[in-house]
Amino acid sequence: MKTNTLVYGELKNLGREIAKTIDAANDNKLQSKERAANDSKLQDDEQSFQDSKPCVSIAIITDQNVAALYLNACVESLEDQGFHVFCKVIPPGEESKNGEVYLSILESMAKDGITRTDGIVALGGGVVGDLAGFVAATYMRGIKVYQVPTSLLAMVDSSIGGKTGIDLDAGKNLAGAFHMPSLVYQDFGTLSTLPEEELINGMAEIIKYGVLAGGEFYELLTPDEDGNIDLERLIRMSAEYKMDIVSRDAKDMGERQLLNLGHTFGHAIEKLSNYEIKHGFAVAKGLALIADLSGRHGWCSEETRDSIVGTLDIWGYDLSIPCDMNEMLDAIAVDKKRKADYIDLVVPTVIGNCELKRMSMEELYKCLL
Ligand code: ADP
Ligand code: ZN
């Protein structure tokens, strides 16, 4: 599967960057024609391609919070480049990631006359990114999506890798598709308005990448003597780390599973709290628990365990486990019913290396209790 392009810049340049992406795609088409054509024929083709460059419509999907802050800048930037812009603004929050909202957006895009050669901009956090990505994956069997994440969690995780979807009554993300964005465009300036809680929510995923990558990345997770942290650098390192893994394992068959570090327990905790505990905060608890488990069973040293827990502590996470282990195992088992009888637990061995440990539910039960 083709990997997406990651670009950092200001929202006011979004239109230009999307136009460049479209031009590059057209150039690629020309290049493949080139192989088949002789020189004089190619010149004709090139000319006709430029002349027939279509007027592209873009549907911006965003939520009310983000619209109030950043929609105008995006619309202006796209219109400056000659795009025809439509806006779809949804209420903020996970509740909007449902079938009803999804269908209403598809219907309104059809009414607007959006075609297969047009595109979607997903402007917002993970909710908007997942929903808009799924709309793009399915509208007329798939149109281009440009992910413009504005939350920390979306910048380092959900906007990258092409997983899209909506929630069903039976559970989160149960309907979805893989659909790679043609561009991921990140403006760090948008983080200035993100509530502190959402920053900490996203930081847990960054810590996860740091544990996986180790080295300088891991060291950057600890503030310097003056209490400063290079957040932009950490975002770049995280986003690129994920891009790299996804480019080798787009469909989540092997290496990409390492990105689930902290998530087996994290997902269970999130679910058992009825999603009152946000994803990142649950992942932080899951990371601490798997580090503790690994330390106890000798999969990693006690030093490594203490280091991971210490890093989470610096960021002020509440690492207590708000459910009993039996409940947790039940929640994991229910999740796994859809797959097989075993689970692939991601365990840290040292900072900078994690391994998949395949175990049955009974084995997991034994090592947890
Ligand atoms: P996620 O944590 O997966 O990104 P959401 O998409 O629900 O989840 O985003 C979290 C919340 O932050 C939402 O209420 C959203 O409207 C809000 N939000 C996203 N980006 C920004 C931003 N740059 N400034 C202010 N609020 C934002
Ligand atoms: Zn996650």
Side-chain angles (χ1 to χ4, degrees):
M1 196 186 286
K2 221 181 87 216
T3 19
N4 37 223
T5 318
L6 183 56
V7 176
Y8 308 96
E10 292 175 58
L11 283 184
K12 66 173 194 230
N13 295 324
L14 173 66
R16 207 159 63 207
E17 211 51 55
I18 290 179
K20 259 174 33 192
T21 309
I22 295 172
D23 281 346
N26 288 346
D27 281 351
N28 277 342
K29 277 188 206 147
L30 270 178
Q31 271 167 25
S32 33
K33 282 185 184 178
E34 192 174 352
R35 274 175 237 127
N38 62 36
D39 279 355
S40 60
K41 169 88 173 33
L42 177 72
Q43 273 177 357
D44 290 348
D45 273 0
E46 197 154 2
Q47 199 54 49
S48 61
F49 210 93
Q50 297 294 340
D51 293 346
S52 67
K53 197 169 174 180
C55 165
V56 176
S57 292
I58 300 272
I60 304 178
I61 301 178
T62 188
D63 74 24
Q64 288 156 351
N65 295 339
V66 178
L69 295 160
Y70 303 113
L71 185 55
N72 283 346
C74 279
V75 172
E76 263 177 39
S77 162
L78 290 164
E79 286 182 344
D80 278 355
Q81 294 296 315
F83 291 108
H84 193 176
V85 181
F86 296 93
C87 300
K88 317 285 169 201
V89 182
I90 61 169
E94 189 74 25
E95 306 75 52
S96 284
K97 241 178 84 176
N98 64 46
E100 211 177 310
V101 172
Y102 161 74
L103 277 179
S104 75
I105 295 175
L106 288 176
E107 291 286 1
S108 88
M109 283 173 51
K111 281 203 189 102
D112 294 339
I114 289 171
T115 70
R116 292 177 63 184
T117 49
D118 295 326
I120 287 177
V121 162
L123 173 70
V127 166
V128 163
D130 284 4
L131 172 72
F134 190 47
V135 168
T138 49
Y139 185 72
M140 296 190 170
R141 298 200 187 88
I143 67 172
K144 288 194 175 116
V145 64
Y146 308 98
Q147 291 281 353
V148 186
T150 60
S151 75
L152 185 57
L153 196 70
M155 283 183 184
V156 298
D157 190 13
S158 50
S159 69
I160 297 161
K163 282 191 186 174
T164 73
I166 55 171
D167 304 335
L168 300 182
D169 289 343
K172 273 179 73 164
N173 296 322
L174 287 186
F178 282 101
H179 189 60
M180 280 294 175
S182 300
L183 172 72
V184 179
Y185 190 79
Q186 310 207 341
D187 179 350
F188 299 135
T190 59
L191 294 176
S192 64
T193 53
L194 192 70
E196 168 89 10
E197 197 190 18
E198 294 298 335
L199 277 176
I200 305 294
N201 192 27
M203 196 62 209
E205 298 283 357
I206 297 182
I207 295 173
K208 173 195 81 176
Y209 293 118
V211 173
L212 286 164
E216 192 192 7
F217 190 161
Y218 187 74
E219 279 160 28
L220 285 168
L221 298 172
T222 304
D224 65 18
E225 315 83 72
D226 304 322
N228 295 323
I229 194 97
D230 193 343
L231 185 61
E232 291 187 8
R233 181 125 186 261
L234 282 169
I235 296 172
R236 284 172 192 261
M237 287 173 122
S238 302
E240 277 147 32
Y241 191 86
K242 179 160 183 188
M243 284 272 285
D244 207 38
I245 287 199
V246 167
S247 70
R248 292 193 294 263
D249 178 23
K251 287 271 170 89
D252 212 352
M253 308 303 282
E255 197 184 0
R256 190 166 176 174
Q257 287 182 52
L258 291 175
L259 300 178
N260 282 335
L261 175 64
H263 280 61
T264 301
F265 300 128
H267 278 145
I269 291 166
E270 205 182 349
K271 200 163 143 196
L272 287 168
S273 79
N274 275 325
Y275 298 95
E276 302 255 305
I277 300 179
K278 286 189 182 192
H279 182 71
F281 293 88
V283 166
K285 290 176 191 287
L287 268 173
L289 184 55
I290 192 63
D292 187 50
L293 208 61
S294 303
R296 265 198 280 147
H297 291 277
W299 302 328
C300 74
S301 67
E302 291 191 354
E303 253 180 342
T304 298
R305 185 226 8 233
D306 293 346
S307 172
I308 296 173
V309 174
T311 303
L312 291 162
D313 266 335
I314 293 173
W315 287 91
Y317 291 103
D318 170 359
L319 301 178
S320 63
I321 304 298
C323 49
D324 79 41
M325 290 301 170
N326 284 310
E327 264 185 317
M328 173 107 77
L329 282 159
D330 286 347
I332 293 171
V334 168
D335 237 19
K336 290 301 138 189
K337 262 193 198 136
R338 301 195 185 95
K339 291 189 188 162
D341 214 20
Y342 57 81
I343 71 156
D344 286 316
L345 204 57
V346 187
V347 302
T349 54
V350 289
I351 301 298
N353 191 64
C354 289
E355 280 171 13
L356 289 175
K357 231 177 219 318
R358 180 161 289 191
M359 53 178 80
S360 65
M361 286 310 296
E362 292 80 66
E363 285 168 318
L364 181 63
Y365 191 88
K366 274 190 207 134
C367 75
L368 255 183
L369 298 176

